Amino acid sequence: MHPSEFAAKWRTRAPLVTEEQAYQEHYIDVASLVGGPVPGQAGAPSGLTYQAGVSKVGSTDFGKADVYLPGHFIWEAKRAQKTADARAKKLGEALAQATLYAYELGSPPLIVVTDFVEIRVHTVFNGTMPRMFRITLDDIEHNRVLEGSGLRALDVLRHVFHSPAELDPRLTRERMTTEATGQVGAVARAMVAQGHDRTAVAHFMLRVVFAMFAEDSGLLGSRLLTAVLERSVTKPEQSEAYLTDLFRAMATGGEFWGHDVKHFNGGLFDARPALPLTSADAGALLKAAKLDWSQVEPVIFGGLFESSLEAEVRGKRGAHFTGVQDIERVVEPVVMMDLLRQWDAVRTQARALVEDAEAQALQQEQDGSPRKAANTREKARLAAAKLVTGFQTHLGTVTVLDPACGSGNFLYVALKRLMDLEALVIAEAGLYGVGRFDLPPVVHPRQMLGIEIEEFAAELASVTLWIGFIQWNQAHGGYYQIPVLQTLSNIENRDALLNEDGSEAQWPAATYHTGNPPFLGNKKIRAKLGDAYLTQLRAVYNERVPGDADFVAYWPEKSRAQIEAGVTRRAGFVTTQAIRTGGSREVLGRILNTGGLFMAWQNEPWLQEGAAVRVSLFGFDDGSEPTRTVDGQPVEQINASLSGAEDARAAASLPENAGIAFQGPVKVGDFEIPGKLARSWLDAPNPDGVSNRDVLKPWVNGMDITRRPSDTWIIDFDVMSEAEASRYVLPFAYVEQHVRPAREKNKDKQRRTFWWRLGRSGSDLKRASAGLSRVLVTPRVAKHRLWVWVPAGTLPDSRVLAVTRDDDFTFGVLQSGIHEVWSLANSSEHGDGTEGGRPTYVAKDCFDPFPFPNPTDEQRAAVEKCARFVVTMREHLLAQDAKATLTGVYNDVVRLRAEPDATHPVTALVKAHADLDKAVAAAYGWDWPLSEDDVLARLLALNLERAATT
């Protein structure tokens, strides 16, 4: 069918037919325009059907979708109406009805509603703000570009049938949001450079941006902001007055330049005057205003806008933008899983009432009592309606707190999902005779509670919520209130942990907690926030949060206390993965003592604004949640390491391992020198007859281990006085020239004073290795856990861990897969996640609690033999290729374990490690092989047994 023929036909036919008479005919005609499939025709997709039935209760039919194509759409038709208002109401009812069907039919991404003269395509992709494409008969006849979309009418219909993903708002909205906020941010930075106060610029730009959104959303009519900016380009000296007058009208409602302006208010359009614009600034804002701000994506808008103006402010507190995927992975299980479970219970109860009443009414009709049957049905309908509308009222009381809300992304996602659920509830109420327009929405931004220490971010969070709220309502029928904005006193601009008087800050009561607290390691808190703040913080939370915990740990502890007190139901956060280690982990232990963890993602990559870290996501409650998942998989329990397996981190340090493993000395300055230079100094004479061999030592860092030795030495005066160190003429002169200038500027008084010494001497390591011929070293951070021998007296870098043993048995156990499983379970991870992160080996977590086997002489000899062969085989492989590295060799080991190749030379090393693992297992008295979980369980049991006897 040709578009003009289609348009002519339905202009005439639409007013004459009901939806029952014509929905199939209309659907077939639309499909014919773009080659869409039709139910019953050859080649139609599986599942495409007319009258797709949804829930039935007894003999009561709860509805059928006019047309349904799984994974594509639900199509719902209504009779044409005579007026635009009547059409909007009828199509709104169709959307509500189809929304209910969508919930029952697996939530396809599109809902199409039509009254035969207009087609509305609603997007309902998970995690996005809905978007509506309005297509009239004129649009189809002339294949017009639809306003605000850039797509032609027939292209939209084609995507409905063939490629719904092309209508995903994320494809265009994220690009538009990034471009728009970038343009506005450039103007803001230019205004700051001109001398305007940064805070004033931020507030001014926020008003401009919301006016752009209001203009494109139809709330600020007659393109008033655009007109102001156009005039400001030619009359920049009047720009301040123009914008001040416009903002004043928006603050109270009234008239501006002969046009009525709605009452916006909300605190955003306060009494502060606008700022003057240069002609260039006005032109740049005019360019930005021509973008479609109605399509801004709230979930990224706030973070992008904030970054463009105040990135350095947020960075001071370790605050970063969190992506929508991570937000949803917290909000869904923490907030929505709980509410949806409640809703399903209410809905089931309501439908059961109707089902039972229907059975009773049928019997009454058979008994000759039709009036009694009608009363029975009506009583059940009213009772069911009361249950459903009561749940809507309950949704209006739900509160969500983000106690480090930043620009409001978590709160926006939670608000949207609450509104999505309320739409389902309202649609369900329609089944019991409650009209959609008789049940206005109650979910509101005021239910989203936030605490944010940065003033601009707190204001931005409110605007993000309002933009999302308005967008959602416009996509679902155009509801908004007057004033359009209301002051959100629930977004508080203050510190979440301490009051101004130093006492503990209290959080408002909330049903749920969620968010992304600041990422500051415990060693950075003092530098970022100051001595006084850290001292008071530790004093206030002394008995609840360990002193070596990361800053992020304070937030879940406060949530735990609220849950324990019965104020809050559930909480969930995105934190650094270090929450699973050290003092931070004790906070998770407290959660388990008073409640339970029900969701965890242990170690996920997180890349934003150049940051490369690993994060953990977790949710917890009072212990009542019956289901638990780790990394999306069901588990029986979740421990304080956010694992469902044995918690190796519960192991205690063992006395027999004390004083063996040491981090290398910290060098602060350029103390290292090339080996050739060092050797030329070894026997150089000194006036006092001292030997330079006393202070020149081979040096090894992580790359010397994982790649090739660099032949680097280091000058180490240990704890000598300046007079003693100066006796070593050449080394002292080198340090004086290359180290002293920088060290005398060091903020640390001791390092300024003793500028010739390394930052830390490593004296414990030196004492423990005295008398040994060699020691074991491993990089603290590495892709593979590699142990190598170095001569005793070699000084390791601070990023290297040394074990002061020189026997092959110790090497064999540490290099075995058994110890690697243990160390990985006890390691934090470092890196951006592009290769899964790099495990960090720390003595107190990985070595000190590790229970070595107690072998027989025969078992010890077997391990030593295998250990020596691993070393021999590695050296042989490296000798074959001057460019080969130990990391490269072990990359091959990992690959060959998964894809064996007997012709590959590294296969011999793979076999050597297999033999070593078997020998170490025998030394423990274990059969081999064992699963990793079994290995951890046995090692933990052995650790606890030994710890209990010491």
Side-chain angles (χ1 to χ4, degrees), residues 780-802:
R780 290 176 57 207
V781 178
K783 181 178 181 181
H784 307 293
R785 182 51 46 210
L786 304 173
W787 294 87
V788 302
W789 292 112
V790 296
T794 300
L795 207 62
D797 178 61
S798 61
R799 301 296 290 168
V800 171
L801 183 126

Side-chain angles (χ1 to χ4, degrees), residues 328-645:
E328 289 175 339
R329 286 198 292 181
V330 175
V331 169
E332 287 298 318
V334 170
V335 179
M336 296 313 301
M337 185 169 75
D338 190 39
L339 289 174
L340 285 169
R341 185 180 290 148
Q342 296 173 36
W343 166 235
D344 282 342
V346 168
R347 187 181 63 159
T348 298
Q349 184 181 358
R351 293 188 176 189
L353 282 174
V354 175
E355 181 182 43
D356 292 345
E358 181 63 22
Q360 184 179 355
L362 287 173
Q363 184 61 51
Q364 290 168 338
E365 287 175 338
Q366 292 177 2
D367 294 342
S369 303
R371 180 175 296 179
K372 185 177 292 186
N375 288 338
T376 297
R377 290 189 176 102
E378 179 64 8
K379 183 178 179 180
R381 182 190 69 79
L382 291 173
K386 184 177 181 180
L387 284 171
V388 173
T389 56
F391 187 80
Q392 187 207 15
T393 301
H394 167 64
L395 285 181
T397 68
V398 170
T399 49
V400 180
L401 169 67
D402 182 345
C405 69
S407 54
N409 291 344
F410 275 84
L411 296 177
Y412 157 72
V413 171
L415 175 65
K416 177 189 176 299
R417 293 294 286 117
L418 279 176
M419 292 190 292
D420 290 342
L421 178 54
E422 184 180 31
L424 287 176
V425 175
I426 291 173
E428 185 81 12
L431 301 177
Y432 307 111
V434 182
R436 175 171 176 264
F437 290 91
D438 298 325
L439 198 62
V442 297
V443 173
H444 192 275
R446 71 174 66 92
Q447 296 169 240
M448 302 297 109
L449 315 181
I451 301 174
E452 172 52 46
I453 196 166
E454 303 299 342
E455 180 182 3
F456 173 59
E459 184 176 31
L460 181 54
S462 295
V463 173
T464 298
L465 287 173
W466 281 119
I467 287 176
F469 182 70
I470 292 167
Q471 282 183 333
W472 192 97
N473 279 295
Q474 287 190 327
H476 289 78
Y479 167 83
Y480 63 89
Q481 73 275 304
I482 296 295
V484 175
L485 302 179
Q486 297 172 12
T487 301
L488 292 183
S489 57
N490 44 295
I491 305 294
E492 301 179 65
N493 174 211
R494 63 179 174 90
D495 193 308
L497 302 180
L498 295 176
N499 295 319
E500 291 185 6
D501 64 1
S503 60
E504 180 178 352
Q506 299 302 307
W507 292 357
T511 319
Y512 305 101
H513 294 174
T514 187
N516 171 203
F519 290 2
L520 282 182
N522 71 84
K523 295 180 180 178
K524 295 183 179 180
I525 302 175
R526 188 182 306 276
K528 295 284 188 177
L529 305 180
D531 291 342
Y533 186 91
L534 179 58
T535 299
Q536 189 62 29
L537 184 71
R538 288 179 174 172
V540 170
Y541 293 90
N542 179 50
E543 296 182 0
R544 296 160 57 190
V545 181
D548 62 343
D550 285 358
F551 195 44
V552 75
Y554 290 85
W555 275 259
E557 161 54 28
K558 286 183 68 66
S559 291
R560 182 209 62 79
Q562 294 282 73
I563 291 171
E564 184 182 25
V567 174
T568 299
R569 288 179 61 84
R570 295 152 78 101
F573 295 101
V574 178
T575 71
T576 58
Q577 57 86 32
I579 193 77
R580 305 179 299 134
T581 64
S584 301
R585 182 182 179 279
E586 294 185 30
V587 169
L588 297 180
R590 287 175 61 81
I591 288 172
L592 292 173
N593 289 338
T594 60
L597 292 155
F598 60 79
M599 174 277 294
W601 295 85
Q602 298 181 75
N603 194 351
E604 297 294 297
W606 190 89
L607 289 168
Q608 294 291 344
E609 298 177 2
V613 297
R614 310 285 298 184
V615 297
S616 293
L617 297 78
F618 56 95
F620 54 99
D621 66 353
D622 61 0
S624 60
E625 172 57 49
T627 63
R628 293 172 175 80
T629 62
V630 172
D631 297 338
Q633 301 301 313
V635 296
E636 291 185 5
Q637 51 94 39
I638 301 176
N639 60 45
S641 296
L642 301 184
S643 167

Side-chain angles (χ1 to χ4, degrees), residues 800-834:
V800 171
L801 183 126
V803 169
T804 55
R805 288 290 183 269
D806 60 0
D807 59 283
D808 291 320
F809 180 78
T810 298
F811 170 86
V813 174
L814 293 179
Q815 190 61 82
S816 72
I818 290 171
H819 181 69
E820 183 175 23
V821 167
W822 173 269
S823 68
L824 287 174
N826 285 282
S827 294
S828 58
E829 289 210 25
H830 175 85
D832 63 9
T834 55

Side-chain angles (χ1 to χ4, degrees), residues 812 815-818 862-863 866-867 869-870 890 893 897 906-922 928-930:
Q815 190 61 82
S816 72
I818 290 171
V863 171
C866 292
F869 185 67
V870 166
Y890 276 86
V893 168
R897 282 171 175 163
V906 177
T907 293
L909 183 59
V910 175
K911 176 66 165 55
H913 273 282
D915 292 342
L916 176 62
D917 291 346
K918 185 175 181 180
V920 173
W928 193 254
L930 293 171

Side-chain angles (χ1 to χ4, degrees), residues 21-76:
Q21 294 169 332
Y23 81 89
Q24 291 189 20
E25 178 186 358
H26 181 262
Y27 173 84
I28 292 170
D29 285 353
V30 174
S32 71
L33 291 171
V34 293
V38 174
Q41 287 186 353
S46 175
L48 176 63
T49 183
Y50 295 124
Q51 293 295 291
V54 292
S55 296
K56 289 186 177 181
V57 180
S59 61
T60 301
D61 190 342
F62 273 76
K64 294 180 178 180
D66 287 342
V67 193
Y68 170 54
L69 177 56
H72 285 65
F73 59 76
I74 286 173
W75 189 290
E76 192 67 23

